[in-house]
């Protein structure tokens, strides 16, 4: 009786319909501090003079284009065989640099879309997000100010909160 019961339990435990197993798609997320991604144009509303052709850093169109190309290379290399679905970016001046990054570099093939915050930082730097539309369905975003307890009047970039749905 003991042997029959053991055999019966063994059979019941392993007699389960087999569910097909499918591999999950890769979903890579990258965060990248691009360290002062400024265009060389002077914006009179921000303190970006340092990143102009006449500024301390002698920021020219050639140096700007080179930096865009290097950032694109890093993003594509981080994705290995498939570019990251989401790329969080920190220290981005404005949406024009994200437009140039996604359209005038090797990233144009990836068909990224972007979102950027519009913070109060005196230098005009913000946070942004690149997303691959074929893997992330953007639904909305919000921005939240950062309040510094020791410097309550200091203006800084905002937190960018993005939500959406995975395509798979």
């Amino acid at each position: 009786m003991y042997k029959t019961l053991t055999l019966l339990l063994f059979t019941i435990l392993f007699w389960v319909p087999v569910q097909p197993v499918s591999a999950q798609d890769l979903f890579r997320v990258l965060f990248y501090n691009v360290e002062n991604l400024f265009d060389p144009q002077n914006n009179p509303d921000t303190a970006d003079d340092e990143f102009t052709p006449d500024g301390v850093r002698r920021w020219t169109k050639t140096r700007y284009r080179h930096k865009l190309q290097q950032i694109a290379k890093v993003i594509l290399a981080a994705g290995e065989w498939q570019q990251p679905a989401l790329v969080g970016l920190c220290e981005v001046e404005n949406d024009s640099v994200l437009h140039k990054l996604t359209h005038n570099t090797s990233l144009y093939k990836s068909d990224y879309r972007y979102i950027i915050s519009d913070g109060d930082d005196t230098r005009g730097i913000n946070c942004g997000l690149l997303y691959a539309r074929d893997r992330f369905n953007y639904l909305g975003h919000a921005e939240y100010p950062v309040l510094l307890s020791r410097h309550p009047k200091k203006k800084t970039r905002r937190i960018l909160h993005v939500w959406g749905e995975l395509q798979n």
Side-chain angles (χ1 to χ4, degrees), residues 44-151:
D45 297 330
T46 61
D48 67 348
D49 297 346
E50 181 179 352
F51 288 93
T52 61
D54 297 329
V56 174
R57 296 191 187 258
R58 304 280 183 226
W59 197 240
T60 63
K61 286 183 181 181
T62 302
R63 294 180 70 198
Y64 168 58
R65 282 192 295 262
H66 179 71
K67 182 165 186 160
L68 290 172
Q69 296 298 332
Q70 296 303 97
I71 291 169
K73 282 182 186 179
V74 169
I75 292 170
L76 292 173
E80 294 178 346
W81 298 108
Q82 185 178 41
Q83 83 271 9
L86 299 174
V87 181
L89 299 169
C90 181
E91 295 193 19
V92 177
E93 182 182 17
N94 52 42
D95 64 341
S96 73
V97 298
L98 292 183
H99 180 82
K100 295 268 190 214
L101 178 64
T102 57
H103 289 81
N104 295 27
T105 68
S106 53
L107 290 181
Y108 82 92
K109 294 177 187 176
S110 301
D111 196 30
Y112 277 118
R113 296 296 187 260
Y114 59 86
I115 303 154
I116 188 166
S117 64
D118 187 22
D120 300 319
D121 185 271
T122 56
R123 295 188 317 147
I125 58 176
N126 298 291
C127 297
L129 178 79
L130 305 181
Y131 64 95
R133 290 187 317 161
D134 62 334
R135 288 176 285 143
F136 181 77
N137 183 28
Y138 165 78
L139 295 177
H141 75 278
E143 298 177 35
Y144 303 101
V146 175
L147 304 175
L148 304 171
S149 58
R150 292 191 179 171
H151 306 283

Side-chain angles (χ1 to χ4, degrees), residues 14-45:
F14 290 99
W15 186 47
V16 179
V18 177
Q19 296 294 323
V21 177
S22 63
Q24 294 180 348
D25 291 335
L26 289 177
F27 190 86
R28 294 182 190 268
V29 177
L30 171 68
F31 182 82
Y32 191 4
N33 181 342
V34 292
E35 298 181 9
N36 300 313
L37 181 57
F38 283 86
D39 63 30
Q41 296 175 345
N42 186 17
N43 181 345
D45 297 330

